[in-house]
Amino acid sequence: CLKKITHFCIKKIHISLSSRTARCHLCQLSTSKSWFSTKSAPLGGKNILLMGPPGAGKTTVGKIVANKLGLPAVDVDDDVLEPAWKMPVAAKLAEVGGRRFLEEEGRTLSNFSASGCIVSLTGSNPLHGEAMQHLKQNGVVVYLDVDSRDIMERLGRMKVNRIVGQEVGVSMRDILLYRKQFYEKWLDVRVFCGMGDTVEEVAEKVLKAVERYLEHDEETYVSTRGGGSELPNRKTYFSDVVIEGLAADGGLYVPKKGFPNVPKGEWLRLISMSYPERALVLLEKCIHPLDVSPLDLRSMVFKAYGDNFSSDKVAPVKHLVQNQYIQELFHGPTASFKDLALQLMPQLFAHCLPPMCNFLILVATSGDTGSAVLSGFSQLSGADRHRTGVLVFFPEEGVSEVQKLQMTSFREGNARAVSVLSDFDFCQKSIKKMFGESGLTGHLAVEYGTILSTANSINWARLLPQVVYHSSCYLDLCRDGVINFGDPVDVCIPTGNFGNAMSALYAKQMCIPIRKVICASNHNRVVSDFITTGQYDLQGRPLLLSHSPAIDILKSSNLERFIHHVSGGNSHLVDDLFTHLDAQKRFQLPERLLGRMQQEVQAGWCSEEDCLAAVQELHTLTGYLMDTHTAVAKVVADRLQDGSCPTVLCSTAHYGKFAPAVFKALRIQNVSPDPMKQLEQLEAAASEPAAHGKMMKCLRQRGSGHRALQADYSVLVEEVESMIQDSFLKVS
């Protein structure tokens, strides 16, 4: 990092300080590229502004960073305020009091100018809006987000007596908590500090964070089938992949440089944080701040994981039996794990929308994705909602009655769900075919000003938020004393399209100590067979209906990302394999990769009888009522886990979504045909989890009937065009 930075260092520095200003005039080397540059505009000569609470180490860190870069260091207290006031800052605070001090500090700072300096702000500078707006005009604000326990320990040693708001009856913790909102408002870059980080370690993080901020061009995405070969003069950024969904060559987008490694000290600090706080820190590391600013991302995250979840923990982890734990991923508005991504993804999509175009989100669903997409996009408002339509295709006989009612109850604005007289694979294949037909996409763009996109897990913005809940699960186990950070855990996931399993592997790449990801299939066991043998074979394999319909999938899209991952990014191999799959309905993974794949994942499958038996046995033993997908995971975990470490079952849906199968498992007869009454009966039978209020409310508001389409690709295309005509005005 330092070598790259010093390549663009400063040749000549002249500093002039006056009682009112500190001016740094810099003559830079003539270079072909400045370190202070971005994709869109040069940032030559801008300052690095270090912001943070008292005791964050801003002054010391600033001096270290300045020394390494060969730049001047400016401390606002020592080099700006005290020369201007001709008295110590503590004396000024004592003389004028806190309120007036902030005004005079802000006024003085508004007269400050510098160029190419490392400026250490005071802890109270961000409380003055005009001064911060002035500073940001010529600076990148780097927030030293230091753990409050480290702050308190340092302030105790320093015996600081010049902090604004430091009065009788006001604790330092309260002051820090109050100021945090201002730091979050003004930051451009967060430097998230681990517990016990030294100032030298923080300084290194500052250098890396600023380098990342100023080198947006380095944080791009590639197709699983295109590798590092990008179109001439075109780089693909996060904001591009959110909108495009599927890559032009038919592959799936992945980050070119993979996932960032998160140090142990930072994970330890995240243990005590809430789910939204964890999500914000982790997503900031994966989304470049020039694609989505930290302030905007914070707003989206806290909206996504707020009152719309019935548990304040969002994705709570509970002990089940013996060394098994369960992560409940069904507390969102549609009672499935898809809500964890789809309460956030539509906000990211709306943020990245280019002007002057309408977008139609096409979704193929095996049950849960459809209602979650409709719910998530219904939260958009204003122009974003008017410019974005949603069309969901689901198999008429391949979803539960509750899932069907959830999807067809959404009839507001530019959103609808229609069934298809076929299976999920036909729906997904048809959507992928539409994306690949340039004649169709061109016609829709020219005739209606409408571009197609997707919200399935093939869209990177759908998959990325799922990494958070796998990470959060591990942190909850640490918080509850089940494990210490660094101890291994296994995760067992009911697996269909492989997105959930892939996100667990990405969490592992970020240094969460997941030992094995166990993929659990029902009797549609194509994924299980592939992981066991390395052969992916669809020849003569019909899709069988099951009690766990959300994983009734044969062609698993996210396996592309998995093979790309285990092959070290070998896009040519991925392209060859999936081209062969399309043509021959099968492929064989090279032997050298089979062993590597089996180091990362295990797999097993569960019969229909064993699935129902698992529901009944756990309920009899503990009173806990799980859905049929979670039961598939439990059966497979019981067979494969060795007991040497905790195993977490991903509970992907609330039992109420699959009521008939659960009644059958519990051997309850005389079941009401009314879905509402079915949920009430199951609620009475379960000691936990509780009934799902939002799902019950949705069923009370259910509409009457829906349309079913023939299993004909041209019929689905006609539905797409009809949807666009109904939703958007024609382009004249």
Side-chain angles (χ1 to χ4, degrees), residues 96-121:
V96 302
R99 186 180 297 274
R100 186 175 163 191
F101 178 89
L102 288 177
E103 294 174 359
E104 295 200 17
E105 181 185 53
R107 188 161 52 247
T108 302
L109 206 59
S110 295
N111 290 322
F112 166 78
S113 65
S115 180
C117 295
I118 311 300
V119 181
S120 299
L121 304 178

Side-chain angles (χ1 to χ4, degrees), residues 247-260:
D249 59 7
L252 308 186
Y253 282 118
V254 291
K256 187 175 182 179
K257 290 187 174 181
F259 275 78

Side-chain angles (χ1 to χ4, degrees), residues 6-67:
T6 52
H7 178 69
F8 311 114
C9 65
I10 305 306
K11 181 179 181 182
K12 184 179 179 182
I13 302 173
H14 173 69
I15 305 175
S16 64
L17 296 173
S18 71
S19 61
R20 294 187 62 82
T21 63
R23 302 185 184 276
C24 304
H25 307 288
L26 308 178
C27 299
Q28 295 178 302
L29 279 171
S30 176
T31 60
S32 59
K33 175 184 176 185
S34 170
W35 177 54
F36 292 104
S37 65
T38 66
K39 169 191 172 189
S40 57
L43 292 178
K46 283 205 169 186
N47 303 303
I48 298 174
L49 306 168
L50 300 183
M51 175 184 71
K58 299 180 294 295
T59 299
T60 307
V61 170
K63 290 177 180 177
I64 296 172
V65 171
N67 181 60

